[in-house]
Amino acid sequence: MKKNFLNGLELLDFSAVNPAAELWLASIANVRIHGETHQRPVDLFKDEQPHLRGLNPMPYDIGRVQSQRASKQFRVALDTNHYSVPAEFASQRVTLKAYPDRVCIYHQDKLIARHVRSYDRRQDIEDPDHPKALLAQRHNAREQRLLVQFLGLSRHAQAYLEGIEQRRVNPRHHLRKIVALSESYGADAVDRAIQDGIAFAAYSCEYVANILEMRARETPAVSALHLTRRQDLLEIEITAADLSLYEGHGHAH
């Protein structure tokens, strides 16, 4: 095997070893005349086969076992490579079994992950399903944060939310827009708009936006230019008064 099969053999992947060995046996090793028996192994095998015992139905487990704690990024390390486990097992102690072709990861005797083993260096191998629990958890946290922000806008927000949920396909979209409007127009204005929305059974972020914009037009804010002009006039008046006072002192002298 070493001198005639493996010596000088170049294979790109470990999985190619067995097919290459079978081809070598069928085309070279088993059909040539053996140096000791002076017969072909393929012919002798016919005589030996009836005397062979069957293979063990429970094959020997050749997996290399090691215990380690999964990282906070829900990864385990093997030969400079990192393999993912489901996100809920981050920072948990797991058992890794490395086979020539695969990597199996267990938590309390339960198989939680299985990967094709990589013989490259410093690779990150992730199962696309493994981050799903973490993403769902983060999504739920964002949903809760948005809900708290919306309910804090008005004591009528809960009733308005129920109206949106009954009438709108995507309630979260409307809540997010209304919270954003509160940052521009203020919570008091949004509170008043929500109360009007309940009174007129108008449950949408578009209604809230329209009524806020309409009321903002009714009471325009003082512009920065107007404030600047008033300040300039005030300074001119003060300067004129000072000048008059100075001239008065001059005449007295």
Side-chain angles (χ1 to χ4, degrees):
M1 290 291 292
K2 287 183 179 180
K3 293 180 180 179
N4 297 293
F5 171 61
L6 294 175
N7 191 21
L9 182 66
E10 294 184 4
L11 297 173
L12 297 177
D13 191 87
F14 187 86
S15 61
V17 172
N18 280 339
E22 290 174 358
L23 178 62
W24 176 75
L25 290 172
S27 60
I28 299 176
N30 284 340
V31 294
R32 64 186 172 187
I33 301 298
H34 194 274
E36 294 292 330
T37 63
H38 303 291
Q39 297 185 58
R40 299 191 312 167
V42 68
D43 297 326
L44 288 177
F45 183 61
K46 295 177 182 178
D47 298 331
E48 293 179 359
Q49 193 169 11
H51 305 285
L52 297 176
R53 290 186 297 176
L55 293 174
N56 189 341
M58 298 296 291
Y60 182 75
D61 191 343
I62 61 171
R64 176 160 59 92
V65 180
Q66 64 183 60
S67 176
Q68 61 176 275
R69 191 175 297 277
S71 70
K72 293 180 180 179
Q73 290 74 36
F74 48 97
R75 298 290 195 274
V76 294
L78 175 66
D79 298 335
T80 77
N81 294 320
H82 291 85
Y83 299 85
S84 68
V85 297
E88 58 265 34
F89 296 100
S91 302
Q92 298 286 321
R93 182 160 290 280
V94 297
T95 301
L96 185 148
K97 294 183 74 172
Y99 296 89
D101 60 339
R102 66 192 186 279
V103 176
C104 298
I105 306 165
Y106 299 82
H107 179 261
Q108 297 179 352
D109 298 328
K110 177 185 177 182
L111 179 66
I112 60 172
R114 179 189 176 104
H115 298 276
V116 175
R117 185 170 178 178
S118 173
Y119 286 91
D120 293 330
R121 304 280 293 176
R122 298 179 180 83
Q123 298 297 307
D124 184 70
I125 298 98
E126 181 182 79
D127 186 321
D129 290 333
H130 288 169
K132 286 184 176 179
L134 179 63
L135 296 176
Q137 182 182 2
R138 290 177 178 173
H139 176 73
N140 291 335
R142 287 195 300 270
E143 293 292 313
Q144 289 296 322
R145 195 158 52 244
L146 175 63
L147 183 60
V148 169
Q149 288 176 319
F150 178 78
L151 294 178
L153 295 176
S154 168
R155 60 190 180 90
H156 305 282
Q158 179 64 43
Y160 200 69
L161 170 62
E162 292 173 0
I164 289 175
E165 289 178 336
Q166 292 172 4
R167 293 166 175 81
R168 303 298 169 186
V169 176
N170 186 1
R172 180 180 179 276
H173 164 75
H174 294 270
L175 266 60
R176 183 163 48 84
K177 292 288 187 182
I178 293 172
V179 169
L181 288 168
S182 71
E183 297 174 358
S184 301
Y185 293 93
D188 291 340
V190 172
D191 178 23
R192 184 181 172 191
I194 286 175
Q195 294 183 55
D196 290 342
I198 294 173
F200 292 100
Y203 297 94
S204 74
C205 61
E206 290 82 8
Y207 171 80
V208 173
N210 288 336
I211 197 168
L212 287 172
E213 184 178 356
M214 180 182 67
R215 285 176 177 159
R217 290 174 180 173
E218 292 174 357
T219 56
V222 178
S223 68
L225 177 61
H226 184 64
L227 289 174
T228 304
R229 288 173 60 86
R230 288 186 60 187
Q231 183 65 28
D232 291 343
L233 291 173
L234 180 61
E235 290 175 359
I236 291 172
E237 290 173 0
I238 292 173
T239 303
D242 290 342
L243 182 59
S244 175
L245 180 62
Y246 175 78
E247 291 176 348
H249 283 295
H251 290 307
H253 285 296

